[in-house]
């Protein structure tokens, strides 16, 4: 495992070639990463996004020109530049295989004249929407004076490769070949301009504007991929060679920053709803969890807790008389408190402070691009919340506007992708400017993270937020997919959306379990199919199936409006929905040591814990476009997405070596990979399979994650191949792990000898147990040892 570093070091040498309209600048960041910049004229200075934070060093590069082709070679990568067209070809130095080629016409540029709207400030008024109150104004005049540079990049793709990434969108796409994706921020969309291919490379487009990805297939299976940037100073992208998708993620994080450890409590259960209406309401519901002995680690206060205006970072003392006392009471119940904060305060002292300082943008959003404004925002939320003991942030509405969050004509809906992109691009441009229209959440998250880190190292930053961007993973963010409506179709679409988001190198993603809207009011986004909410058994089934799925996401969180989401609103002990919900929460807590160790693999090893099948089975063509299965570490998760289902078809993928086996998590039955099976899926069972040759540590259920740190650990062995796993632990909620305050234990299973090697404990941290009971669970029986930090071998019973 590597040591974490937020100020990443990398390598760079600039290769400046003739300055004309067709020749790009090629710069090596590392032997495996090359930066490409191009503009028809002018100095190449980048697009000013702050996405990339690497520091340049030297790379050994060999340069040669022959027959009109200039070749740049490192130990890993060969870049060929056609000097007649300016087109680049990227070749794996070790194998000689072409990874990606720009088209013969590699890139285009045009100047676009945009409309600039001036509003009449005297007409400002607040309008209530489903997304909260927003400020609207009458148009004073329209001018066509803004000139923006639009760029289009063209690439040729090979027949067999699959393309993933670009964020989370509302379509039904897994493999993006042959698709068009409209990239912008929205309540139900998260744009991350990074994609990667099963051919062994990734592309990161470093610009802050709206974009369009399109892939046009040809009859021979090849295709022309285009990436259109609506407003940028220049073309600026990074080609990242990687032998696997994990390696591409590592290259991306080298450029943009690591994903820091979230606190251990975020591996547990998070309970939210719209909304708890008072201090008493929060505590009474938390007490109900404790009385029923249902595990919980986080309870969440949603919006409208303010005494006046909109989005005011102040709690109404009539209903929340003592914020510090509230936080203290939550902590006394061994839980943590998350608070919803908004970037658009209106008609309240918070807004007036921003306006008097000249730090408000259009549509009543504070100016996140200003360091002074970020300072002011932190002071406001720190005074009321963090300094009073609140633990975590929910940065809602971080897009920060939506052009279509209201009544739309008949026919407008989830699939109105171009219309949504056009409206939101225009509105976000009004707020942020065209060249940084998609960057609001990146800078908003930066302000929260940097200020909390400057305040204390005792609490890790937790920021649940609705928008994201490349590089945002370095700020302790968890993205969730917005205000979805409850239907089985919605559920199905959320799975590939999240997997494509996490494939971009941003590993923390979650959902509103049960979807946000359960009812319908006629608007395109407010079309839940369950007007009776949790009183309807059909909704209870949907909720339960979504909870089963979300148990195997990086964060498990229940939230929504229209109907309450606490487990006891779905039945009582002994009834099927209640019992299944509790069983899944218990399973989440049994998996705490596994999930926390996977989180450490993300921080220290550039891993992705919830991963589409292509991460591990890139050579299995059958697996590359499966939308409803994925890996959670070494566990194959197969959500049930059909109402009334008691079974489902499952594909068991096959690795390149042709020797993959799978073990049914529930029954222990072993299957060969590379085949479809029908798996049992009664209501109480989510089909799960563990890859043969895996180690999965679990522990006993407790009422919160901190209570599990001294409990016995069970090392579950799934034979079929040799296996390794690094068991990780630390204090749970401080940044001392950055200084080495953590412990690891290397586990190694020798399949031929049926022996588990438990390595010597490496490292230590305050409060670390000196001894711990380890139960070695294999198909041949259990063995128990008292582990005191020294290496030990445990043979399976024969």
């Amino acid at each position: 495992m590597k040591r974490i570093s937020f100020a990443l070091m990398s390598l760079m040498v600039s290769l400046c070639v003739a300055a004309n309209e067709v020749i790009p600048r090629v710069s090596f960041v590392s032997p495996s990463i090359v930066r490409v910049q191009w503009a028809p004229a002018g100095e190449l200075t980048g697009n000013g996004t702050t996405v990339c934070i690497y520091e340049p060093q030297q790379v050994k590069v060999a340069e040669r020109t022959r027959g009109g082709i200039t070749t740049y070679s490192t130990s890993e990568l060969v870049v060929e530049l056609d000097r007649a067209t300016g087109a680049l070809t990227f070749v794996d130095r070790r194998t000689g295989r072409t990874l990606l080629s720009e088209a013969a016409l590699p890139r285009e540029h045009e100047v676009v004249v945009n409309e600039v709207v001036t509003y009449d400030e005297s007409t400002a008024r607040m309008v209530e929407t489903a997304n909260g109150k927003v400020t609207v104004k009458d148009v004073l005049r329209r001018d066509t004076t803004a000139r923006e540079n639009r760029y289009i990049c063209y690439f040729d793709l090979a027949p067999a490769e699959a393309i993933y990434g670009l964020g989370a969108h509302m379509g039904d796409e897994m493999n993006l070949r042959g698709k068009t994706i409209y990239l912008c921020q929205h309540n139900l969309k998260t744009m991350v301009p990074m994609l990667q291919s099963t051919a062994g490379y990734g592309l990161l487009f470093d610009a802050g504007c709206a974009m369009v990805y399109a892939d046009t297939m040809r009859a021979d299976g090849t295709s022309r991929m285009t990436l259109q940037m609506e407003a940028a100073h220049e073309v600026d992208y990074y080609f990242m060679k990687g032998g696997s998708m994990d390696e591409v993620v590592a290259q991306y994080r080298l450029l943009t920053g690591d994903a820091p450890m979230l606190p251990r409590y975020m591996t547990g259960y998070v309970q939210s709803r719209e909304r708890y209406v008072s201090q008493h309401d929060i505590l009474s519901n938390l007490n109900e969890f404790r009385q029923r002995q249902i595990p919980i680690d986080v309870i969440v206060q949603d919006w409208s807790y303010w005494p006046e205006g909109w989005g005011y970072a102040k709690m109404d003392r009539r209903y929340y008389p003592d914020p510090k006392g509230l936080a203290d009471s939550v902590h006394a119940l061994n839980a943590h408190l998350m608070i919803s904060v908004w970037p658009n305060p209106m008609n309240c002292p918070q807004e007036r402070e921003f306006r008097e300082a000249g730090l408000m943008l259009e549509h009543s959003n504070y100016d996140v691009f200003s360091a002074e404004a970020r300072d002011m925002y932190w002071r406001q939320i720190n005074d009321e919340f963090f300094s009073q003991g609140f633990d975590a942030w929910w940065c809602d509405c971080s897009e920060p506007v939506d052009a279509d969050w209201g009544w739309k004509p008949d026919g407008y809906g989830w699939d109105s992708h171009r219309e949504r992109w056009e409206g939101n691009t225009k509105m976000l441009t009004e707020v942020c400017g065209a060249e940084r229209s998609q960057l609001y959440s990146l800078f908003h998250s930066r302000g929260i993270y940097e200020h909390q880190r400057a305040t204390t190292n005792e609490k890790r930053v937790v920021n649940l937020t609705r928008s994201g961007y490349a590089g945002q993973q370095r700020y302790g963010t968890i993205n969730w997919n917005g205000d979805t409506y409850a239907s089985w179709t919605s559920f199905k679409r959320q799975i590939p959306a999240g997997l494509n988001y996490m494939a971009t190198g941003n590993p923390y993603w979650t959902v509103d379990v049960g979807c946000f809207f359960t009812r319908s009011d006629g608007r395109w986004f407010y079309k839940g199919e369950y007007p009776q909410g949790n009183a309807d058994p059909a909704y209870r089934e949907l909720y339960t199936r979504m909870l089963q799925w979300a148990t195997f996401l990086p964060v498990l969180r229940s939230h929504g409006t229209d109907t309450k989401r606490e487990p006891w609103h779905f039945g009582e002990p002994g009834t099927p929905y209640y019992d299944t919900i509790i069983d899944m929460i218990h399973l989440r807590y049994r998996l705490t040591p596994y999930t926390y160790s996977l989180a450490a693999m993300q921080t220290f090893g550039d891993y992705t814990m919830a991963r589409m099948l292509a991460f591990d089975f890139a050579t299995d063509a059958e697996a590359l476009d499966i939308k409803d299965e994925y890996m959670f570490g070494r566990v194959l998760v197969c959500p049930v997405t059909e109402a009334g289902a008691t079974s489902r078809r499952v594909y068991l993928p096959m690795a390149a070596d042709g020797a993959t086996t799978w073990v049914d998590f529930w029954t222990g039955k072993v299957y060969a990979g590379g085949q479809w099976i029908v798996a049992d899926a009664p209501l109480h069972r989510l089909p799960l399979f563990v890859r043969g040759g895996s180690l999965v540590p679990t522990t006993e259920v407790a009422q919160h994650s901190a209570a599990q740190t001294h409990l016995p650990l069970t090392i579950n062995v799934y034979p079929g191949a040799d296996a390794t796993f690094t068991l990780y632990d630390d204090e749970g909620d401080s940044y001392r792990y950055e200084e080495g305050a953590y412990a690891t234990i290397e586990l190694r299973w020798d399949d031929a000898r049926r022996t588990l090697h438990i390595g010597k404990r490496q490292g230590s941290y305050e409060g670390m147990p000196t001894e711990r009971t380890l139960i070695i669970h294999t198909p041949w029986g259990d063995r128990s040892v008292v582990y005191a930090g020294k290496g030990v071998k445990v043979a399976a019973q024969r």
Side-chain angles (χ1 to χ4, degrees):
M1 299 176 77
K2 63 172 184 164
R3 289 293 304 277
I4 189 168
S5 173
F6 292 102
L8 291 179
M9 299 296 291
S10 59
L11 306 170
M12 180 175 182
V13 61
S14 182
L15 302 171
C16 298
V17 294
N20 58 48
E21 290 195 354
V22 297
I23 300 298
R25 176 187 291 172
V26 177
S27 307
F28 278 91
V29 175
S30 79
S32 298
I33 303 175
V34 62
R35 182 183 187 183
V36 177
Q37 294 173 272
W38 179 85
E43 184 181 359
L44 296 173
T45 58
N47 289 315
T49 64
T50 74
V51 163
C52 293
I53 59 172
Y54 62 87
E55 297 184 17
Q57 291 184 1
Q58 292 297 310
V59 178
K60 185 177 180 180
V61 181
E63 178 182 346
R64 184 183 69 179
T65 299
R66 180 179 298 174
I69 303 295
T70 298
T71 301
Y72 308 105
S73 302
T74 72
S75 58
E76 297 292 332
L77 192 60
V78 176
V79 180
E80 299 172 353
L81 168 63
D82 186 328
R83 301 187 71 86
T85 65
L88 298 169
T89 299
F90 305 93
V91 179
D92 186 332
R93 173 70 182 275
R94 295 182 179 273
T95 66
R97 182 170 60 94
T98 296
L99 301 173
L100 178 68
S101 296
E102 292 186 325
L105 173 64
R107 55 197 78 85
E108 290 185 312
H109 164 259
E110 63 178 319
V111 176
V112 180
V113 179
N114 290 322
E115 180 182 74
V116 176
V117 178
T118 303
Y119 293 92
D120 185 349
E121 296 293 333
S122 67
T123 65
R125 58 199 181 276
M126 281 198 302
V127 174
E128 185 78 47
T129 75
N131 203 34
K133 293 181 179 179
V134 298
T135 298
V136 298
K137 306 170 191 176
D138 294 339
V139 174
L140 188 63
R141 68 177 184 274
R142 298 178 183 272
D143 302 303
T144 55
T145 57
R147 296 167 61 86
E148 307 293 348
N149 294 298
R150 175 184 292 156
Y151 294 97
I152 307 176
C153 299
Y154 298 94
F155 303 89
D156 289 330
L157 301 183
E161 65 181 301
I163 299 291
Y164 306 104
L166 297 179
H169 302 279
M170 294 181 297
D172 191 27
E173 300 91 5
M174 175 61 80
N175 183 357
L176 303 182
R177 293 297 301 273
K179 307 296 196 302
T180 297
I181 309 294
Y182 291 93
L183 301 175
C184 70
Q185 309 294 4
H186 182 270
N187 186 312
L188 294 166
K189 290 170 67 71
T190 301
M191 169 187 175
V192 182
M194 184 272 197
L195 58 81
Q196 59 168 302
S197 166
T198 53
Y201 67 86
L203 291 172
L204 170 62
F205 294 88
D206 190 0
C209 59
M211 303 181 193
V212 181
Y213 160 94
D215 181 43
T216 305
M217 302 293 291
R218 304 185 182 103
D220 64 357
T222 63
S223 68
R224 174 65 49 81
M225 181 181 77
T226 65
L227 198 291
Q228 177 175 309
M229 292 171 280
E230 285 298 291
H233 176 70
E234 65 190 54
V235 170
D236 190 357
Y237 74 82
Y238 295 82
F239 177 91
M240 301 167 285
K241 175 204 164 185
S244 67
M245 292 176 71
D246 282 312
E247 290 180 19
V248 172
V249 167
Q251 309 287 14
Y252 163 83
R253 292 188 189 150
L254 186 148
L255 293 170
T256 66
D258 285 325
M261 288 291 293
L262 296 182
R264 185 189 294 109
Y265 67 76
M266 289 305 297
T267 64
Y269 178 67
V270 180
Q271 182 65 64
S272 180
R273 77 156 100 125
E274 190 200 39
R275 66 185 176 88
Y276 298 117
V277 299
S278 68
Q279 186 164 331
H280 176 266
D281 195 16
I282 292 173
L283 295 174
S284 63
N285 276 277
L286 184 54
N287 270 301
E288 185 73 11
F289 274 93
R290 293 296 178 237
Q291 291 168 9
R292 289 175 176 263
Q293 296 188 322
I294 302 172
I296 183 174
D297 265 88
V298 184
I299 196 161
V300 185
Q301 174 63 57
D302 201 352
W303 64 355
S304 291
Y305 52 75
W306 40 77
E308 58 179 302
W310 173 263
Y312 186 17
K314 183 72 70 173
M315 304 195 88
D316 190 331
R317 293 302 191 265
R318 293 174 297 173
Y319 308 108
Y320 306 88
D322 181 8
K324 185 178 186 306
L326 170 60
D328 290 345
S329 297
V330 169
H331 296 159
L333 290 167
N334 296 304
H336 295 79
L337 182 59
M338 176 181 283
I339 184 70
S340 170
V341 293
W342 292 66
N344 55 343
M346 289 174 280
N347 291 352
C348 64
Q350 190 178 2
E351 179 198 19
R352 291 191 286 274
E353 185 177 10
F354 278 120
R355 289 203 181 277
E356 288 170 2
L359 298 174
M360 287 294 275
L361 301 173
E362 269 299 338
H363 299 286
S364 297
N365 293 279
Y366 88 96
D367 185 0
V368 294
F369 305 107
S370 161
E372 181 184 355
R374 295 195 299 270
D375 290 345
M376 184 178 294
Y377 188 80
W378 171 257
R379 176 174 51 76
Q380 293 165 345
I381 63 174
N382 180 55
D383 287 351
E384 182 71 358
F385 303 120
F386 193 70
S387 68
Q388 304 304 309
F390 285 55
D391 302 291
W393 307 105
W394 177 8
C395 289
D396 210 337
C397 201
S398 54
E399 298 84 17
V401 292
D402 287 300
D404 62 351
W405 212 248
W407 296 98
K408 302 295 287 185
D410 290 344
Y412 189 95
W414 270 31
D415 293 324
S416 301
H417 299 298
R418 183 175 181 87
E419 297 94 325
R420 179 167 303 108
W421 176 82
E422 289 173 344
N424 255 40
T425 296
K426 180 177 181 295
M427 197 170 189
L428 288 165
T429 296
E430 292 174 356
V431 175
C432 304
E435 290 191 6
R436 60 184 189 185
S437 60
Q438 310 305 311
L439 299 178
Y440 195 95
S441 184
L442 177 65
F443 281 82
H444 188 35
S445 301
R446 173 185 174 181
I448 300 287
Y449 181 84
E450 290 180 345
H451 284 92
Q452 184 174 321
R453 288 300 308 263
T455 302
T456 180
N457 271 336
E458 295 304 311
K459 283 188 178 181
R460 297 178 194 167
V461 178
V462 175
N463 178 356
L464 176 68
T465 191
R466 201 168 66 190
S467 186
Y469 208 70
Q472 192 165 298
Q473 77 283 346
R474 65 183 180 251
Y475 296 135
T477 55
I478 307 154
N479 191 255
W480 103 96
N481 62 339
D483 297 340
T484 54
Y485 62 77
S487 74
W488 290 93
T489 298
S490 166
F491 176 14
K492 292 175 188 177
R493 289 187 171 200
Q494 292 174 52
I495 300 169
L499 293 173
N500 268 305
Y501 175 82
M502 289 180 282
T504 66
N506 290 258
Y508 287 107
W509 186 85
T510 189
V511 298
D512 294 345
V513 170
C515 300
F516 186 70
F517 299 109
T518 59
R519 302 172 184 168
S520 174
D521 75 352
R523 285 173 287 183
W524 71 269
F525 56 86
Y526 204 140
K527 288 194 174 181
E529 298 178 358
Y530 305 94
Q532 301 305 312
N534 56 38
D536 183 349
Y539 178 69
R540 293 186 178 195
E541 181 187 7
L542 174 69
Y543 181 90
T544 301
R545 290 304 197 183
M546 283 197 72
L547 183 83
Q548 289 176 330
W549 163 51
T551 298
F552 292 89
L553 290 177
V555 172
L556 170 59
R557 168 180 167 270
S558 173
H559 177 67
T561 191
D562 300 333
T563 194
K564 294 179 179 179
R565 307 301 172 99
E566 294 77 17
W568 50 89
H569 297 296
F570 293 84
E572 289 295 333
T575 60
Y577 299 109
Y578 180 92
D579 284 355
T580 303
I581 289 168
I582 301 307
D583 286 347
M584 294 311 296
I585 294 174
H586 282 180
L587 178 55
R588 178 76 180 192
Y589 278 83
R590 283 170 50 203
L591 289 166
T592 297
Y594 180 64
T595 307
Y596 201 50
S597 295
L598 293 181
M601 290 170 64
Q602 294 186 149
T603 295
F604 296 99
D606 295 313
Y607 192 66
T608 302
M609 70 167 73
R611 39 203 292 120
M612 58 180 60
L613 298 182
F615 270 89
D616 299 295
F617 306 99
T619 60
D620 186 342
E622 188 77 11
L624 299 185
D625 202 30
I626 293 177
K627 303 172 185 177
D628 60 354
E629 298 179 27
Y630 66 98
M631 300 299 293
F632 189 72
R634 301 278 290 186
V635 180
L636 178 66
V637 183
C638 309
V640 178
T641 60
E642 298 289 341
T646 58
S647 65
R648 63 151 288 177
R649 291 183 76 233
V650 167
Y651 181 69
L652 301 174
M654 176 68 75
D657 62 9
T660 309
T661 59
W662 296 94
V663 183
D664 187 307
F665 180 85
W666 306 105
T667 68
K669 184 177 179 179
V670 179
Y671 297 86
Q675 64 169 324
W676 287 91
I677 66 168
V678 176
D680 289 338
L683 177 71
H684 67 276
R685 179 173 294 179
L686 167 72
L688 300 170
F689 298 85
V690 185
R691 188 171 175 177
S694 296
L695 301 171
V696 178
T698 58
T699 190
E700 297 174 3
V701 174
Q703 296 308 296
H704 55 96
S705 59
Q708 297 178 292
T709 55
H710 289 69
L711 296 178
L713 288 175
T714 297
I715 311 302
N716 298 278
V717 178
Y718 294 88
D722 292 345
T724 60
F725 189 84
T726 302
L727 188 63
Y728 173 91
D729 209 357
D730 61 23
E731 294 173 346
D733 193 13
S734 82
Y735 284 100
R736 279 182 285 274
Y737 75 85
E738 294 179 354
E739 302 162 4
Y742 60 83
T744 60
I745 302 171
E746 297 294 329
L747 307 174
R748 182 171 60 85
W749 169 253
D750 185 326
D751 201 55
R753 293 179 172 81
R754 294 185 180 178
T755 299
L756 181 68
H757 299 254
I758 305 170
K760 180 181 178 181
R761 183 192 291 125
Q762 303 294 321
S764 64
Y765 59 90
E766 185 176 349
M768 182 182 73
T770 56
E771 292 186 344
R772 200 161 185 183
T773 298
L774 301 184
I775 301 166
I776 317 306
H777 176 69
T778 72
W780 305 280
D782 293 352
R783 301 288 297 270
S784 179
V785 298
V786 176
Y787 179 76
K790 296 182 179 180
V792 63
K793 296 181 182 180
V794 182
Q797 294 178 352
R798 297 180 182 269

